Amino acid sequence: MVHTTLSAPPAAPSLLHRATRLGAGLADVWADMNWIVRFTAVLGLVLVVLALAAPLIAPFDPNAQSLLSRLKPPMGLAGAKDGYLLGTDELGRDILSRCLHGLRLTLGVALLGAVIGLLLGGSLGLFAGIAGGRVDDLIMSLVDIQIAVPFTLVALLTVALLGGDLTVLIAVLGIAYWEQYARITRGEVLRLREMPFIEAARAAGASGWRIAVKHILPNLVSPLVVVFTVNISNIVLLESTLSFLGLGLRPPTATLGAMVGMGRDYLPSAPWIVAAPALLILLVTFVIQMLGDFLRDRTDVRLRER
């Protein structure tokens, strides 16, 4: 007589165990960084913390006006007013407070727009590469149309007709670069589906959905990470362009591009109005590009095997 014993299922990893594994993974990532990437990562973390904590650390209401304090220079310059570290704008509003809230809004809008573009373009590209035939032709025709038409003009027309509402702005930015995700995803799918491991999975009876999720998607991480990070920078610049032209969020909402746009008339006499938000736009794009290159190198298996 054969006796069988039923073993208990393995316990789920505890929260402490998961935190330990996450800490070890972050330590490993940190060890792979050179000093430039580490500095960039710390700078990016500082920018994110400043954006998230903007309502708590901003010294003034970003929309509070004081015409008696208008065009005051930053602290340390002649004519500066106590408490206004970066000076005031043409309406007497604190530039530091507006920069913090503008950074918060610009980063949030850019991140949401990039995620929408990734989901839309990645899904269509994956579907086109797997389905092929007329579906592939239709999706790629839409991609060609998107590429042929200058999207900045489309964005200007859309925002001008529908208004500078936050939802409209996020939707416009979300469809700005979806064709890049679609093209890269489709190309990678066409390459991967002829690989031996895909043929083996197909011969073993795996469904198309399982092949896409288990075997193709993990190999798309590296190229999509690069496109995602580049597009965040592009969306930041696009949002800044729309706001600079007066087609972004309605005043007095502070965004970095809107601050640059409204301060351009005062650039000869009060350059600090433009300098602070322009510097933040530069720092955000620099951090995203540097971290995107690092993530690309780390997630690309072919580069790590060299």
Side-chain angles (χ1 to χ4, degrees):
M1 183 176 180
V2 179
H3 296 279
T4 59
T5 57
L6 297 177
S7 58
S14 64
L15 182 60
L16 179 61
H17 179 66
R18 292 179 180 177
T20 302
R21 290 182 59 185
L22 178 61
L26 293 177
D28 185 39
V29 172
W30 182 263
D32 287 345
M33 295 179 177
N34 57 40
W35 70 270
I36 298 178
V37 180
R38 290 181 180 178
F39 171 77
T40 306
V42 173
L43 179 59
L45 180 61
V46 171
L47 291 175
V48 171
V49 171
L50 289 177
L52 293 176
L56 301 177
I57 63 178
F60 299 96
D61 182 344
N63 299 324
Q65 302 179 13
S66 177
L67 296 180
L68 295 178
S69 303
R70 64 189 302 267
L71 299 179
K72 295 295 183 181
M75 295 294 293
L77 299 180
K81 186 175 181 179
D82 292 340
Y84 294 89
L85 296 179
L86 297 182
T88 61
D89 63 7
E90 71 280 4
L91 296 177
R93 297 172 296 192
D94 180 48
I95 292 179
L96 175 59
S97 300
R98 291 183 63 78
C99 281
L100 291 175
H101 284 80
L103 177 65
R104 175 189 179 92
L105 190 54
T106 297
L107 287 180
V109 169
L111 182 60
L112 286 176
V115 169
I116 292 174
L118 172 62
L119 295 177
L120 177 62
S123 300
L124 290 176
L126 182 64
F127 189 49
I130 293 177
R134 294 183 178 179
V135 174
D136 185 18
D137 294 338
L138 175 60
I139 294 176
M140 296 315 295
S141 296
L142 295 176
V143 169
D144 293 337
I145 294 174
Q146 175 87 351
I147 295 174
V149 179
F151 187 78
T152 303
L153 297 180
V154 177
L156 291 174
L157 178 61
T158 303
V159 175
L161 292 177
L162 300 180
D165 183 75
L166 180 60
T167 304
V168 174
L169 183 62
I170 292 176
V172 169
L173 297 178
I175 63 174
Y177 303 104
W178 71 269
E179 81 282 358
Q180 298 182 11
Y181 298 105
R183 292 180 65 190
I184 291 178
T185 302
R186 173 184 176 271
E188 287 295 308
V189 170
L190 293 178
R191 181 184 67 86
L192 291 170
R193 72 180 187 179
E194 304 299 330
M195 300 294 288
F197 68 93
I198 298 295
E199 294 290 342
R202 190 178 295 115
S207 64
W209 173 256
R210 181 175 179 83
I211 291 175
V213 173
K214 295 293 184 181
H215 301 287
I216 294 181
L217 281 180
N219 289 280
L220 298 176
V221 173
S222 177
L224 290 182
V225 163
V226 178
V227 180
F228 183 77
T229 53
V230 170
N231 282 346
I232 290 181
S233 300
N234 292 337
I235 290 175
V236 168
L237 296 177
L238 178 59
E239 185 277 328
S240 300
T241 301
L242 294 175
S243 298
F244 180 84
L245 297 174
L247 296 174
L249 296 178
R250 297 186 181 92
T253 304
T255 65
L256 299 180
M259 294 179 65
V260 174
M262 289 186 293
R264 67 184 184 273
D265 295 334
Y266 302 89
L267 190 57
S269 59
W272 58 85
I273 299 179
V274 175
L279 179 60
L280 281 178
I281 294 175
L282 177 63
L283 290 178
V284 168
T285 54
F286 169 74
V287 167
I288 293 173
Q289 293 283 0
M290 290 292 295
L291 294 181
D293 288 342
F294 170 76
L295 292 176
R296 186 273 314 273
D297 296 342
R298 183 173 175 83
T299 57
D300 195 329
V301 178
R302 292 169 294 182
L303 291 177
R304 299 188 68 183
E305 288 178 350
R306 293 179 181 177

